[in-house]
Amino acid sequence: MQPNTTRPAAFDAAIQRYMPGLRNLARKYADKYRYRYGAAELLQNTLVTILASWHTFRGTSYETGGGFYKWISWRMRGVCSNEMRIRESAVYKFA
């Protein structure tokens, strides 16, 4: 049996609805963790991650209170953490 590969339109609509919050969160993380590529790149990398892993969302709905914003904000935090981990390992490797 093939997995469902069609992303629901409600998923895309929810991302559009939460874009202002994601932009603010990207600016916050870029400043706080000195994300070397800036807030716009962090947002773009997060959106790529979210769209690639849409099928892993296990919340109740894409609406407010369904856990969707928490899920996408954790994805952004993960993207930022991964970049920091790579940067720190490069510092130790070449120090």
Side-chain angles (χ1 to χ4, degrees), residues 40-80:
E41 188 73 18
L42 176 58
L43 179 61
Q44 183 176 352
N45 290 343
T46 302
L47 289 174
V48 168
T49 302
I50 290 168
L51 293 174
S53 60
W54 68 271
H55 58 281
T56 63
F57 175 66
R58 300 287 182 240
T60 56
S61 77
Y62 304 122
E63 300 300 322
T64 303
F68 188 71
Y69 184 76
K70 185 181 282 188
W71 182 76
I72 58 179
S73 62
W74 272 98
R75 290 290 177 171
M76 181 175 285
R77 186 172 183 260
V79 168
C80 191

Side-chain angles (χ1 to χ4, degrees), residues 85-95:
R85 194 172 306 120
I86 291 168
R87 183 175 41 177
E88 287 174 1
S89 68
V91 168
Y92 291 127
K93 187 182 289 184
F94 296 112

Side-chain angles (χ1 to χ4, degrees), residues 24-39 42 73-74 76-88:
N24 290 338
L25 191 59
R27 280 193 292 273
K28 176 183 167 186
Y29 282 163
D31 290 343
K32 183 176 180 179
Y33 298 111
R34 289 174 273 171
Y35 190 76
R36 69 174 148 184
Y37 302 116
L42 176 58
S73 62
W74 272 98
M76 181 175 285
R77 186 172 183 260
V79 168
C80 191
S81 295
N82 287 341
E83 194 276 330
M84 286 176 44
R85 194 172 306 120
I86 291 168
R87 183 175 41 177
E88 287 174 1

